[in-house]
Amino acid sequence: MHHFHIMRLARYFLAFTLVVGMAMPAMAQKKPLQKRDRFEYSFDLPVYVEQLKTELTYPMAWGNSPVKSFDKWRAEARKKVFECMMTPPRPAANFKMEVLATQKREGYTAKKIAFNVNAYSRVTAYLLVPDGKGPFPAINALHDHGAHLFIGKEKMIRPFEVEQEVADDAQAWADNLYEGQFVGDYFAKHGYVVFSMDAPLWGERGREEGVDRSKYDIIAGNMMMLGRDLCGFMHYDDIYSTDFLATLPEVDRQRIGCLGCSMGAYRAWMLSALTDHIKAGAAICWMVTTDVQMSTADKKREYGGFANCLPGLRQYLDYPHIASMACPKPMLFVNGTQDHLFPVRGVEAAFQIMHDTWKSQRADERLETEIWDIKHSCGIKAQERMLQFFDKYLK
């Protein structure tokens, strides 16, 4: 028996040394980063970031701009945002919608469709249509970032006619960020047409070589070399897809809203600001001032990279100033005290700027801003709050 134990221990030791031996070359390859004693960037920011922020005076913000007519101000501010979005993708000559597959669900029908979102890209999307007689109010459901690019539209609408890997990934993502409930399906059950498509580089608009988050910024740089902005393309596609939504016979074009969480929230208030087709918008967990977003005091910086980078725009307008272009539309903003991406003081400052704008247009009751004790998420209570908001303004 003693001999048996010795032999077994010897085998374990041999196996261990083989594993360690194989791992050693890989470990040895991990050299520490080369560092110089002098440097100019720290924590992904220039060391003079606080000086740069003092030079951001936002001269085109409502109240800072010399323009006193709100409609004229909005037109000029929109023009500046579009200018910073660089050359747009050419619009499609025809959407040419095609239904690829349908699935009957409880209270609505799910459709997988294809259409030309612009002159270059024919994309697949999901469209949920409630049972009954339309036209219905509609929602453009805008997916999040999450540093997870394998799925896009499938984060918002339960997918079908997909590989099992996609279905499993979508459910896991819904469980993680949305408490297991697909936002789009939830709204369709309550009488809304819901549309969702992939943003550029997500889902079926990704890389041939496969998902690699580190390549996003390289691709964005290459797009800039072509005189285009990847984030700008995302916003233009959100506008064009809303134009498409407005053409559908099932949709009441006077009752179209948009919603999203995280990057989807950013897309939602940008879309609300940039097109009159959107009549109301809801943004969960994305609003802040640049002063706090890029802060050495808060140890915060932008994590999304080029996903919300519009060249030069911060020289004219901050985030809440851009969102204020949606005024006097109804808008809902919810942020969380436990959201590590958006410190509460920056959220509160942004909310105050927006309330000042809505008050100036005697529409403050249409701007609903709330701070909840939640993490960066869009759980069932947040979805119920959005439904309550849209029922109030779109039904």
Side-chain angles (χ1 to χ4, degrees):
M1 184 65 70
H2 179 69
H3 176 73
F4 173 76
H5 281 304
I6 291 173
M7 291 297 292
R8 186 167 63 174
L9 285 170
R11 284 198 299 270
Y12 284 162
F13 180 74
L14 179 61
F16 175 76
T17 53
L18 282 171
V19 170
V20 171
M22 287 187 290
M24 284 299 286
M27 292 168 64
Q29 289 173 7
K30 285 192 174 182
K31 295 180 181 178
L33 297 176
Q34 290 180 298
K35 294 169 65 174
R36 300 291 295 268
D37 292 336
R38 294 178 62 85
F39 57 87
E40 201 161 309
Y41 293 84
S42 175
F43 197 64
D44 300 332
L45 291 169
V47 294
Y48 47 85
V49 60
E50 298 301 327
Q51 292 169 262
L52 291 183
K53 289 194 302 184
T54 65
E55 297 173 21
L56 297 177
T57 58
Y58 308 118
M60 288 195 71
W62 175 247
N64 294 346
S65 168
V67 179
K68 301 305 177 189
S69 160
F70 191 81
D71 288 345
K72 185 178 178 184
W73 169 80
R74 186 198 296 109
E76 291 192 5
R78 271 187 185 174
K79 183 179 178 182
K80 178 55 69 176
V81 174
F82 283 129
E83 179 184 308
C84 292
M85 282 162 57
M86 301 176 71
T87 307
R90 284 189 294 110
N94 191 308
F95 292 121
K96 292 186 178 178
M97 187 189 100
E98 174 188 4
V99 178
L100 305 176
T102 63
Q103 185 182 78
K104 186 69 187 74
R105 296 181 179 175
E106 188 178 346
Y108 61 102
T109 298
K111 300 180 181 181
K112 180 179 280 190
I113 64 171
F115 76 106
N116 299 325
V117 69
N118 58 46
Y120 320 120
S121 303
R122 183 166 180 81
V123 302
T124 56
Y126 286 118
L127 183 70
L128 308 181
V129 181
D131 296 345
K133 182 174 171 53
F136 303 97
I139 297 291
N140 194 339
L142 306 159
H143 69 74
D144 59 73
H145 187 306
H148 188 69
L149 283 66
F150 182 62
I151 54 173
K153 58 189 178 295
E154 298 87 1
K155 295 178 177 182
M156 305 304 287
I157 290 174
R158 181 161 54 87
F160 68 107
E161 298 284 333
V162 294
E163 303 91 334
Q164 192 61 45
E165 183 182 7
V166 173
D168 292 345
D169 200 50
Q171 187 60 61
W173 196 259
D175 291 343
N176 178 54
L177 196 63
Y178 301 97
E179 281 193 317
Q181 181 168 270
F182 288 93
V183 182
D185 293 78
Y186 173 67
F187 269 78
K189 285 179 183 177
H190 287 85
Y192 289 82
V193 169
V194 181
F195 167 90
S196 192
M197 74 172 194
D198 300 321
L201 273 185
W202 269 266
E204 294 176 286
R205 304 181 73 186
R207 298 170 68 244
E208 178 184 5
E209 300 85 354
V211 176
D212 184 345
R213 168 66 182 88
S214 69
K215 298 295 185 183
Y216 185 98
D217 297 339
I218 294 173
I219 292 170
N222 286 334
M223 290 285 283
M224 284 191 179
M225 295 295 286
L226 295 166
R228 312 301 172 101
D229 181 67
L230 187 57
C231 176
F233 265 44
M234 176 175 71
H235 293 311
Y236 275 115
D237 282 355
D238 289 343
I239 293 168
Y240 294 164
S241 67
T242 306
D243 294 344
F244 162 71
L245 197 53
T247 67
L248 301 179
E250 305 96 327
V251 171
D252 181 345
R253 61 184 297 152
Q254 295 304 317
R255 294 188 292 159
I256 300 177
C258 63
L259 62 80
C261 171
S262 191
M263 183 184 79
Y266 163 72
R267 294 166 66 192
W269 56 254
M270 282 290 291
L271 181 59
S272 300
L274 295 176
T275 176
D276 295 332
H277 269 148
I278 293 294
K279 305 303 182 185
I284 309 298
C285 290
W286 209 119
M287 180 47 70
V288 73
T289 58
T290 296
D291 181 58
V292 174
Q293 181 196 35
M294 304 286 196
S295 170
T296 53
D298 294 282
K299 282 289 181 185
K300 295 296 175 191
R301 78 278 205 206
E302 169 53 37
Y303 297 90
F306 281 89
N308 63 305
C309 177
L310 300 175
L313 184 53
R314 210 55 71 242
Q315 296 296 316
Y316 307 98
L317 299 156
D318 200 359
Y319 299 119
H321 305 139
I322 301 165
S324 292
M325 288 158 48
C327 177
K329 295 175 187 176
M331 294 291 295
L332 170 67
F333 291 84
V334 176
N335 273 69
T337 57
Q338 300 178 52
D339 189 337
H340 70 285
L341 294 177
F342 301 106
V344 171
R345 70 183 187 94
V347 175
E348 290 177 336
F351 284 177
Q352 187 58 56
I353 288 168
M354 291 189 291
H355 276 291
D356 288 345
T357 305
W358 263 259
K359 284 175 185 175
S360 77
Q361 301 308 302
R362 297 180 177 83
D364 196 47
E365 73 284 351
R366 290 174 151 235
L367 176 62
E368 302 180 22
T369 58
E370 300 169 8
I371 297 179
W372 296 10
D373 185 27
I374 57 172
K375 296 179 180 178
H376 192 74
S377 62
C378 184
I380 288 172
K381 286 186 178 179
Q383 295 178 45
E384 290 173 347
R385 180 68 183 89
M386 288 193 292
L387 180 66
Q388 177 192 43
F389 169 79
F390 283 114
D391 280 352
K392 179 179 177 181
Y393 289 108
L394 296 184
K395 278 194 173 180

